[in-house]
Amino acid sequence: MATKQEMAELDQMETGSNHPSLAVGYNINRGTSKMGLHTVEVSSIIRPGSLIPLPPPPTTGTATAADVEKGATSADQWGKNMQRWRNDNIDIGKADPGGPGICAFILTLFSFLLILATFPLSLCFSVKVVQEYERAVIFRLGRLLKGGARGPGIFFIVPCIDTYRKVDLRTVSFDVPPQEILSRDSVTVAVDAVVYYRVQNPTIAVSNVENFSHSTRLLAATTLRNVLGTKNLAEILSERETISHTMQSSLDEATDPWGVKVERVEIKDVRLPVQLQRAMAAEAEAAREARAKVIAAEGEQKASRALRDAAEVIAESPAALQLRYLQTLNTISAEKNSTIIFPLPIDILKHFIKPSKVDKYDL
C-alpha cells in the first residue's frame, strides 16, 4: 500500500518534474533506426533509498512515424499501467479493515464471561482432545487462529465463537477407478492404480482447498490418464515402475499447495481387450513353436554329425561293432523285457550256406 508522499512523488514523475526527492523515474529517448523507422527507448532511473514497488519498465519498442505522432507507443501504455497500479493501491488501502472490529471484541468478551459464569460446566464444551495422529485447526469468528494447528493432546476453545476441524495425519490409501485409456499406438486399455498420501500441513489442507481428499482422488485419476496417454502399449506393460514414479512426482507437485504429500503410486492392473489378448497369445504361441522347431533342427544336425563320427570310428575296427551289439543287448535286458532281439551278423552264416554253381566257377 503506497503512502501519500509516495503518491505525490508518482504525480511529479508523471508530470515531468525534476524534484530532488524523486527516487524512481524513467528516461524516454526517441531516435531513428537504420531502416528509417522511429524508435522509442524507455530506461529506468533508480536512486538509492527508494522503497516504492513499481511495475517493470517497458522494453524497447519500434513503431512507425504515424504511430509516434499519434502517441501510440510503449511509453504511453506504460503510463496507463502506472495509473492503474496507483488506483489499485489506493483501493486496497481503503478496503483493508485492519483486523477484527469492535463487534468481534464484544462477542469474545461476552463468551469469556459466559464461560466463567457457567464454570465448571463450561469445561465440558471448552476442553477438547485430539489423538497423537490428529491435529485440530481452530477458527475464531471465521478467522484462523495464530500458532497453527493444535495437538496432540488437550486444547481449549471458546464454545460460542470458535469452530475447529480435526485432520488425520496418517497415510491414506485409495484405489483409482479403472480408466479407459487410448495409448499412443491407438490401443484401448483399462488401467487402475493405488495412491498413498498423507496430510503434511493441516492448516493449509483445511484453508486452501474445500475437500483435499476428494480433490486428490480426482487429480490422481486425471494424472493417470494424462501420463499413460503418452505411452505405447509395450511401455505400459514393461515400464510400470517408471510410470509410477512419474505419476508420484506430478501428483506431489500439484498437491503441495494443498498441504498434501503423495508418498507412493503403484500401477495395479492393466486390462487388455479380449481380442487383443487372443492375438497376443497366438503371436506368442507361434513364436514359441518357431523357436522349438529351430532347436529341434539344430539337435538333429548335431546328432547326425555325432553319428557320422561314430561310424567312422567303428569302421576302423570290426570288433567295435560287436562291442556295440553287446552294449545294446545289455541295455535291452536291463528293462526286464520278455522278448529279446539278438542281431546276428551275416558273416557268421556264410559258412553254413552252400555256394551256388556260379559261386563255384567264381572260386
Side-chain angles (χ1 to χ4, degrees), residues 91-103:
D91 294 339
I92 293 173
K94 291 180 180 180
D96 188 13
I102 188 64
C103 294

Side-chain angles (χ1 to χ4, degrees), residues 174-185:
F174 64 89
D175 294 330
V176 179
Q179 304 293 317
E180 293 288 340
I181 300 168
L182 183 64
S183 62
R184 193 170 62 179
D185 50 355

Side-chain angles (χ1 to χ4, degrees), residues 9-45:
E9 292 177 356
L10 292 176
D11 293 336
Q12 293 173 0
M13 180 183 64
E14 291 178 359
T15 55
S17 175
N18 295 324
H19 196 275
S21 63
L22 183 61
V24 181
Y26 292 93
N27 284 338
I28 301 176
N29 300 324
R30 300 175 184 268
T32 305
S33 64
K34 296 180 180 180
M35 302 297 295
L37 301 177
H38 294 279
T39 60
V40 179
E41 181 178 2
V42 182
S43 59
S44 61
I45 302 175

Side-chain angles (χ1 to χ4, degrees), residues 231-247:
K231 304 291 184 180
N232 294 328
L233 179 61
E235 296 175 349
I236 294 175
L237 297 176
S238 61
E239 299 180 1
R240 294 193 179 187
E241 186 176 354
T242 304
I243 295 173
S244 299
H245 181 70
T246 303
M247 285 188 58

Side-chain angles (χ1 to χ4, degrees), residues 89-237:
N89 278 273
I90 294 174
D91 294 339
I92 293 173
K94 291 180 180 180
D96 188 13
I102 188 64
C103 294
F105 178 76
I106 294 174
L107 288 176
T108 304
L109 180 61
F110 177 76
S111 298
F112 278 105
L113 293 176
L114 183 61
I115 291 174
L116 294 176
T118 58
F119 188 83
L121 183 62
S122 59
L123 292 178
C124 300
F125 302 95
S126 299
V127 178
K128 302 294 180 181
V129 180
V130 291
Q131 303 296 330
E132 181 69 27
Y133 52 84
E134 293 178 337
R135 297 295 183 271
V137 181
I138 304 175
F139 295 89
R140 178 163 296 172
L141 295 175
R143 291 176 175 268
L144 184 66
L145 285 185
K146 297 180 179 180
R150 305 299 194 272
I154 299 175
F155 66 97
F156 298 89
I157 64 171
V158 181
C160 299
I161 59 176
D162 286 354
T163 58
Y164 73 97
R165 180 179 172 183
K166 291 183 180 180
V167 180
D168 197 333
L169 301 183
R170 293 176 294 182
T171 300
V172 180
S173 62
F174 64 89
D175 294 330
V176 179
Q179 304 293 317
E180 293 288 340
I181 300 168
L182 183 64
S183 62
R184 193 170 62 179
D185 50 355
S186 301
V187 178
T188 303
V189 294
V191 183
D192 55 352
V194 182
V195 179
Y196 300 86
Y197 76 94
R198 61 180 175 86
V199 177
Q200 189 174 12
N201 192 326
T203 304
I204 296 178
V206 173
S207 58
N208 284 13
V209 62
E210 180 181 2
N211 189 339
F212 62 87
S213 178
H214 183 64
S215 300
T216 304
R217 294 171 187 269
L218 294 180
L219 184 61
T222 305
T223 305
L224 179 63
R225 298 175 65 91
N226 294 338
V227 172
L228 295 183
T230 60
K231 304 291 184 180
N232 294 328
L233 179 61
E235 296 175 349
I236 294 175
L237 297 176

